[in-house]
Amino acid sequence: MGQKLYFDNYTAAGDILVIAICFVIGILVATSYNTRTKTFKLFLNMIIYLGLAALSDMILHDYYAHMAGGSYTPIYVIRVIYHAMLFSLFLVYVVYLVVILNLDRRDVVPIMSVATGVYAIIILTDIILTVSGKGFRIGDDGTASYGPNVFMAGYIAFVSLIVFVILKYRDKLYRKSVLGLFGTMAVSFFILYNQGRHGQAAFTVATFLFPVLAIMYLLHSNPYNVETGTISASALKDAVRYHYEKKLEFYFMSMYLPDFHAEAKELPEEIKAEIRRFPSAHFRKSVLFEISNGHLLLMVPKKGNPRCEESIRKILEAFEVDYEKYRFDYKIVMGKSIDDISRRNEYLSLIRNIMRHMPVNTLHEITDEDVKAFDRSEDILVQLEDIYRKEDLNDERVLVYCQPVLNIKTGKYDTAEALMRLKLPELGMIFPDQFIPLAEDMGFIHVLTKIILHKTCDAVKDLLAEGYEVKRISVNATMSDLRDEAFAKELSDIIEESYIPNSKIAIEVTESQSDRDFNDLKEMIDKLKGIGIKFYLDDFGTGYSNMERIMNLPFDIIKFDRSLVIASQSDKRSEEIVGKLAGMFAELHYSVLYEGVEDEEDEKRCINMHASYLQGYKYSKPIPIEDLKNFFSKSAVSQ
């Protein structure tokens, strides 16, 4: 039975809205930062299919409204195109899911086979039924007859497949993302259902829009910080990947302000204004990334910026003016894109490796030597990760070196400081400044501390067994070690397994500015001193020293840094200041150890400045712990 064509209940409002939203999305894509990933390109395809579907739906209804008899073929063709656009959108949606889920080929093949099969069957069936007159057709009087509802069958089939894929692989998606996708689908069903109840057809395309908007918001939103014009660091790797794949060169400049990073302070408004202004004023298509608080990275494509280096110099000149005004510490690293680093997508790691060794308030331009040093650091990092993973306390790659310490009271070498070295395959001997910062940054340091403690305890056991006098050997520990509640028991167990007295091991720590670190340190010192472990305050006289905190921490030995030894030789006044400081500690029953003693003049001056112990190259450079036999004396009983 025929019925008046459903076009009579159609209004163009829904399709106009969809087309408008597609244009708005296009404007936002053109004016905001978006990395050209495969998923983003698929998303753009969805927007194109949406716009074409809405446009074809409007043309279809407009053609019918102005049709005055004759051939209905254009309506049939446009209607098939309209359905093809909507089901093409469904097909791309499935492809999108497969890509973001990163499925194995054995999972991808059946999903895509079903999706393309449904797509082909629906489109071909729609065409065949229309051509044969068994499907949708218009009579001579303008009424329409409907055969099987192919569109709804295809709609249900695709939605069922999408829901199945999301549910089956939901563990690969963030839970709230799944809820967001299902929530927008529910809204689409609600609108489609109510539209059908009221004989409407105006919002069919709009129901396809909502899940696409969910994808845009959940997976492709990377908004600018409106105060600085920066975007989050998560987009940097995509940006580098895009430039590398397109063989596009770029410049970059990284600025790190440690004061703002450490204290999570906001940048002054004047600095924010400069950050907003300079990139857009001097570069085309530049992007500013906020790596972390106080760390910014500017990426400038070489193409379209022929005077890039000159513009960077202007930025640096302006920065120098601001530095004179605000006096905040900084580190700046800059350079051109490096093909191998782009391929590996490791600019942040390269920059951090360089900054790790940079003094504050300096600028560094990346060289080939920096890349070689970084590659070496990466090789070291691979070994450190393996050491951490295996947690073998006898790992042969970790060596214990020691620097003997002269006991002024006895005139003997009966203490020493244990120092760590790595001996790695193909890399050879690695010194602490090359691997300790890496180990601390990556969280591997605690395992290294346990290994050095274990090997030191075993060496002390051997020295004692051979009759050598060993008062104690100190081992350096980091604040991360001391924050670990298990550290006290781990240390106690390691010493106990070596069958040596607890008093033969001491722990060296460096003072921290943090209140939390102070409390953790005090608690750990109290706990370990209870079992006979002595504590050294390392590097006294460098950086920040809070006398009140030092007095409230039960240290046994204060190690005066080499810088104080050097300062004391500059003039008599400086010597008196260092000497009185050491004398104050001595009166309070601390022992004072001077490190960095290099000659007889240093030795004599330090002894006059209340030294209890002396350490430095005058006596010995760091040696393998086994060679302490050449310095330590045997007890009278053993002889």
Side-chain angles (χ1 to χ4, degrees):
M1 180 178 177
Q3 64 180 40
K4 188 65 176 173
L5 195 59
Y6 67 89
F7 292 63
D8 288 346
N9 294 325
Y10 170 82
T11 62
D15 289 328
I16 291 173
L17 180 63
V18 170
I19 292 172
I21 291 175
C22 288
F23 271 108
V24 168
I25 291 174
I27 292 169
L28 294 176
V29 167
T31 57
S32 63
Y33 178 78
N34 297 280
T35 51
R36 298 302 192 262
T37 59
K38 183 176 182 179
T39 53
F40 185 72
K41 291 175 182 176
L42 289 171
F43 166 74
L44 292 181
N45 282 332
M46 292 184 209
I47 298 300
I48 292 170
Y49 284 131
L50 265 173
L52 291 175
L55 182 62
S56 59
D57 196 21
M58 287 178 62
I59 293 172
L60 176 63
H61 288 83
D62 186 69
Y63 189 90
Y64 174 75
H66 296 87
M67 181 183 64
S71 173
Y72 298 117
T73 301
I75 290 182
Y76 299 141
V77 172
I78 297 170
R79 183 175 177 274
V80 169
I81 292 173
Y82 166 56
H83 286 173
M85 292 299 102
L86 291 178
F87 287 117
S88 294
L89 174 58
F90 264 137
L91 185 61
V92 174
Y93 200 102
V94 174
V95 175
Y96 188 97
L97 285 176
V98 167
V99 172
I100 64 169
L101 289 169
N102 195 26
L103 301 180
D104 294 332
R105 180 176 173 79
R106 65 176 181 273
D107 295 320
V108 172
V109 171
I111 292 172
M112 292 312 304
S113 296
V114 171
T116 52
V118 169
Y119 178 83
I121 290 171
I122 293 301
I123 299 301
L124 289 174
T125 302
D126 198 17
I127 293 172
I128 292 170
L129 290 176
T130 300
V131 171
S132 66
K134 296 179 180 179
F136 171 77
R137 61 190 181 279
I138 303 173
D140 294 336
D141 60 352
T143 59
S145 298
Y146 299 90
N149 196 336
V150 177
F151 174 81
M152 187 54 65
Y155 190 99
I156 293 172
F158 263 113
V159 169
S160 300
L161 177 61
I162 290 167
V163 170
F164 169 78
V165 171
I166 293 175
L167 288 177
K168 181 175 175 60
Y169 302 102
R170 61 186 178 277
D171 292 341
K172 289 177 173 283
L173 291 170
Y174 179 47
R175 182 172 176 269
K176 288 187 177 180
S177 296
V178 174
L179 294 176
L181 292 172
F182 279 155
T184 53
M185 286 183 185
V187 172
S188 298
F189 284 136
F190 176 78
I191 292 175
L192 198 63
Y193 170 73
N194 279 281
Q195 176 181 261
R197 284 186 60 201
H198 294 89
Q200 289 285 334
F203 294 98
T204 302
V205 180
T207 63
F208 285 72
L209 174 65
F210 303 130
V212 175
L213 289 179
I215 284 178
M216 179 181 178
Y217 185 83
L218 293 171
L219 302 175
H220 293 288
S221 60
N222 196 340
Y224 284 109
N225 180 320
V226 293
E227 291 188 301
T228 59
T230 58
I231 61 172
S232 68
S234 60
L236 178 60
K237 281 190 175 292
D238 287 332
V240 171
R241 185 182 303 112
Y242 173 76
H243 281 77
Y244 177 72
E245 289 174 353
K246 299 296 183 181
K247 301 188 183 303
L248 299 173
E249 294 181 304
F250 58 88
Y251 295 88
F252 62 91
M253 183 170 68
S254 172
M255 179 176 68
Y256 176 59
L257 308 174
D259 291 341
F260 296 96
H261 177 79
E263 300 179 22
K265 295 189 300 186
E266 282 210 10
L267 295 168
E269 184 56 42
E270 294 85 346
I271 301 301
K272 289 180 181 177
E274 291 293 316
I275 291 172
R276 283 195 300 269
R277 184 173 66 85
F278 262 94
S280 58
H282 293 279
F283 306 110
R284 293 183 67 250
K285 296 185 178 180
S286 64
V287 183
L288 188 62
F289 300 91
E290 186 172 16
I291 306 305
S292 61
N293 203 54
H295 188 184
L296 304 173
L297 188 144
L298 178 67
M299 176 185 282
V300 182
K302 184 177 180 181
K303 185 178 180 180
N305 291 284
R307 305 177 69 180
C308 182
E309 295 181 4
E310 179 183 334
S311 297
I312 288 176
R313 280 198 301 274
K314 288 182 179 178
I315 290 180
L316 294 174
E317 289 169 4
F319 179 79
E320 285 296 327
V321 173
D322 289 330
Y323 173 73
E324 292 299 324
K325 187 189 304 182
Y326 298 104
R327 286 288 170 179
F328 42 70
D329 290 335
Y330 66 88
K331 295 181 181 181
I332 295 177
V333 174
M334 54 192 294
K336 298 178 183 178
S337 54
I338 304 161
D339 193 61
D340 189 49
I341 300 299
S342 292
R343 178 182 60 80
R344 291 148 51 186
N345 214 327
E346 292 182 339
Y347 283 97
L348 279 185
S349 298
L350 170 63
I351 290 167
R352 284 170 178 153
N353 188 67
I354 293 170
M355 286 186 172
R356 194 178 287 121
H357 304 287
M358 280 176 66
V360 294
N361 304 327
T362 57
L363 181 150
H364 184 88
E365 190 163 356
I366 292 178
T367 65
D368 291 342
E369 292 304 313
D370 293 321
V371 177
K372 290 178 183 176
F374 170 65
D375 289 340
R376 180 177 172 83
S377 293
E378 291 297 287
D379 291 339
I380 293 171
L381 197 56
V382 169
Q383 294 291 325
L384 285 172
E385 186 173 5
D386 188 61
I387 292 169
Y388 172 81
R389 182 174 51 81
K390 291 180 177 175
E391 202 171 347
D392 176 9
L393 298 187
N394 292 302
D395 198 306
E396 295 181 353
R397 291 169 288 185
V398 183
L399 306 180
V400 183
Y401 272 57
C402 274
Q403 192 166 30
V405 175
L406 179 65
N407 186 330
I408 299 300
K409 185 176 181 180
T410 64
K412 296 180 178 180
Y413 299 99
D414 53 13
T415 66
E417 178 186 3
L419 302 165
M420 205 181 312
R421 302 284 189 271
L422 295 182
K423 190 173 183 180
L424 303 179
E426 299 181 7
L427 296 176
M429 190 70 75
I430 311 296
F431 293 93
D433 64 319
Q434 296 176 288
F435 71 87
I436 293 294
L438 284 172
E440 289 182 332
D441 286 351
M442 302 305 296
F444 301 150
I445 192 68
H446 188 56
V447 168
L448 293 177
T449 302
K450 288 167 63 177
I451 293 173
I452 199 84
L453 279 167
H454 170 74
K455 292 195 171 190
T456 299
C457 289
D458 278 358
V460 170
K461 178 181 69 174
D462 293 341
L463 288 168
L464 292 173
E466 294 182 37
Y468 287 95
E469 295 180 15
V470 182
K471 190 171 185 179
R472 64 180 164 269
I473 294 181
S474 63
V475 176
N476 288 277
T478 66
M479 276 310 307
S480 63
D481 292 322
L482 299 171
R483 288 191 205 105
D484 191 333
E485 294 180 0
F487 182 69
K489 186 177 187 312
E490 289 171 343
L491 174 58
S492 179
D493 289 346
I494 288 171
I495 295 174
E496 184 179 335
E497 289 168 5
S498 298
Y499 301 101
I500 63 173
N502 291 344
S503 61
K504 300 301 178 184
I505 296 297
I507 299 296
E508 293 196 21
V509 296
T510 303
E511 185 194 2
S512 170
Q513 298 181 36
S514 163
D515 289 333
R516 176 198 166 192
D517 286 350
F518 171 79
N519 294 328
D520 290 342
L521 181 57
K522 189 175 189 308
E523 183 180 340
M524 187 61 71
I525 290 177
D526 289 338
K527 190 181 296 184
L528 290 174
K529 281 180 73 71
I531 63 172
I533 304 295
K534 291 191 178 295
F535 274 82
Y536 291 38
L537 173 62
D538 197 12
D539 295 333
F540 176 76
T542 61
Y544 177 91
S545 289
N546 186 317
M547 294 301 295
E548 181 183 0
R549 285 183 177 175
I550 292 173
M551 296 304 179
N552 284 314
L553 291 171
F555 289 110
D556 300 286
I557 296 173
I558 309 295
K559 293 186 73 171
F560 276 40
D561 186 74
R562 165 71 180 162
S563 61
L564 292 181
V565 177
I566 294 172
S568 68
Q569 72 183 8
S570 60
D571 54 53
K572 197 65 180 175
R573 180 174 174 275
S574 298
E575 183 178 347
E576 285 185 15
I577 292 173
V578 175
K580 287 186 182 299
L581 194 57
M584 178 191 69
F585 281 119
E587 288 176 13
L588 293 170
H589 307 293
Y590 294 93
S591 295
V592 175
L593 187 159
Y594 287 96
E595 53 185 346
V597 177
E598 295 191 349
D599 52 37
E600 289 186 8
E601 185 182 335
D602 283 347
E603 179 184 67
K604 183 179 179 181
R605 190 171 61 259
C606 290
I607 291 174
N608 290 335
M609 295 188 300
H610 305 281
S612 300
Y613 299 95
L614 298 176
Q615 177 182 347
Y617 275 36
K618 179 186 187 304
Y619 312 108
S620 174
K621 64 180 182 180
I623 56 175
I625 195 168
E626 298 81 8
D627 292 350
L628 284 177
K629 296 175 183 178
N630 299 327
F631 290 84
F632 285 8
S633 303
K634 286 195 174 184
S635 63
V637 175
S638 65
Q639 291 176 339

Coordinates of all heavy atoms in Angstrom, one line a residue, residues 556-560 581-583 585-586 590-594 609-614:
D556 N 76.8 11.6 63.5 CA 78.0 11.3 64.2 C 79.2 12.1 63.6 O 80.1 12.5 64.4 CB 78.3 9.8 64.2 CG 77.2 9.0 64.8 OD1 77.0 9.0 66.0 OD2 76.4 8.4 64.0
I557 N 79.2 12.2 62.3 CA 80.4 12.8 61.6 C 79.9 13.8 60.6 O 78.9 13.6 59.9 CB 81.2 11.7 60.9 CG1 81.8 10.8 62.0 CG2 82.3 12.4 60.1 CD1 82.6 9.6 61.4
I558 N 80.5 15.0 60.6 CA 80.1 16.1 59.6 C 81.3 16.1 58.6 O 82.4 16.4 59.0 CB 80.0 17.4 60.3 CG1 79.0 17.4 61.5 CG2 79.5 18.5 59.3 CD1 77.6 17.0 61.1
K559 N 80.9 15.9 57.4 CA 82.0 15.9 56.3 C 82.0 17.3 55.7 O 81.0 17.7 55.0 CB 81.7 14.9 55.2 CG 81.8 13.4 55.7 CD 81.6 12.5 54.5 CE 82.8 12.5 53.6 NZ 82.8 11.4 52.6
F560 N 83.1 18.0 55.9 CA 83.3 19.3 55.3 C 83.7 19.2 53.9 O 84.7 18.5 53.6 CB 84.3 20.1 56.1 CG 83.8 20.8 57.3 CD1 82.9 20.2 58.1 CD2 84.2 22.1 57.6 CE1 82.4 20.9 59.3 CE2 83.7 22.8 58.8 CZ 82.8 22.2 59.6
L581 N 83.8 27.1 62.9 CA 82.6 26.3 62.6 C 82.9 24.8 63.0 O 82.1 24.1 63.6 CB 82.3 26.4 61.1 CG 81.0 25.9 60.6 CD1 79.8 26.6 61.4 CD2 80.8 26.2 59.1
A582 N 84.1 24.3 62.6 CA 84.5 23.0 62.9 C 84.6 22.8 64.4 O 84.3 21.7 65.0 CB 85.8 22.6 62.2
G583 N 85.2 23.8 65.1 CA 85.4 23.8 66.5 C 84.1 23.7 67.2 O 83.9 22.9 68.2
F585 N 81.3 22.3 66.1 CA 80.8 20.9 65.9 C 81.6 19.9 66.9 O 81.0 19.0 67.5 CB 81.0 20.4 64.5 CG 79.9 20.9 63.6 CD1 80.3 21.7 62.5 CD2 78.6 20.6 63.8 CE1 79.3 22.1 61.6 CE2 77.6 21.0 62.9 CZ 78.0 21.8 61.8
A586 N 82.9 20.1 67.0 CA 83.8 19.3 67.9 C 83.3 19.4 69.3 O 83.2 18.4 70.1 CB 85.2 19.7 67.7
Y590 N 80.5 16.1 67.7 CA 80.5 15.6 66.4 C 82.0 15.4 66.0 O 82.8 16.2 66.4 CB 79.9 16.6 65.4 CG 78.4 16.8 65.6 CD1 78.0 17.9 66.3 CD2 77.5 16.0 64.9 CE1 76.6 18.2 66.5 CE2 76.1 16.3 65.0 CZ 75.7 17.3 65.8 OH 74.4 17.6 66.0
S591 N 82.3 14.4 65.2 CA 83.6 14.3 64.6 C 83.5 15.1 63.2 O 82.5 15.1 62.5 CB 83.9 12.9 64.3 OG 84.1 12.2 65.5
V592 N 84.7 15.7 62.9 CA 84.7 16.5 61.6 C 85.7 15.8 60.7 O 86.8 15.5 61.0 CB 85.2 18.0 61.9 CG1 85.4 18.7 60.6 CG2 84.2 18.7 62.8
L593 N 85.2 15.6 59.5 CA 86.0 14.9 58.4 C 86.1 15.9 57.3 O 85.1 16.4 56.8 CB 85.3 13.6 57.9 CG 86.1 12.8 56.9 CD1 85.5 11.3 57.0 CD2 86.0 13.3 55.5
Y594 N 87.3 16.2 56.9 CA 87.6 17.1 55.7 C 87.9 16.2 54.5 O 88.7 15.4 54.6 CB 88.8 18.0 56.0 CG 88.5 19.1 57.0 CD1 88.9 19.0 58.3 CD2 88.0 20.3 56.5 CE1 88.7 20.0 59.2 CE2 87.7 21.4 57.4 CZ 88.1 21.2 58.8 OH 87.8 22.3 59.7
M609 N 92.3 22.9 62.1 CA 90.8 23.3 62.1 C 90.0 22.2 62.7 O 88.9 21.9 62.2 CB 90.4 23.7 60.7 CG 91.0 25.0 60.2 SD 90.3 25.6 58.6 CE 90.6 24.2 57.5
H610 N 90.5 21.5 63.7 CA 89.7 20.5 64.5 C 89.3 19.3 63.7 O 88.3 18.7 63.9 CB 88.4 21.2 65.1 CG 88.7 22.4 65.9 ND1 89.1 22.3 67.2 CD2 88.6 23.7 65.6 CE1 89.3 23.6 67.7 NE2 89.0 24.4 66.7
A611 N 90.2 18.9 62.8 CA 89.9 17.7 62.0 C 90.0 16.4 62.9 O 90.9 16.3 63.7 CB 90.8 17.5 60.8
S612 N 89.0 15.5 62.7 CA 89.1 14.2 63.3 C 89.6 13.2 62.2 O 90.3 12.2 62.5 CB 87.8 13.7 63.9 OG 87.4 14.6 64.9
Y613 N 89.1 13.4 61.0 CA 89.5 12.5 59.9 C 89.8 13.4 58.6 O 89.3 14.5 58.5 CB 88.3 11.6 59.5 CG 87.8 10.7 60.7 CD1 86.8 11.1 61.5 CD2 88.5 9.5 60.9 CE1 86.4 10.3 62.5 CE2 88.0 8.6 61.9 CZ 87.0 9.0 62.7 OH 86.6 8.2 63.8
L614 N 90.7 12.8 57.8 CA 91.1 13.4 56.5 C 90.9 12.5 55.4 O 91.3 11.3 55.5 CB 92.5 14.0 56.6 CG 92.8 15.0 57.7 CD1 94.3 15.4 57.7 CD2 92.0 16.3 57.5

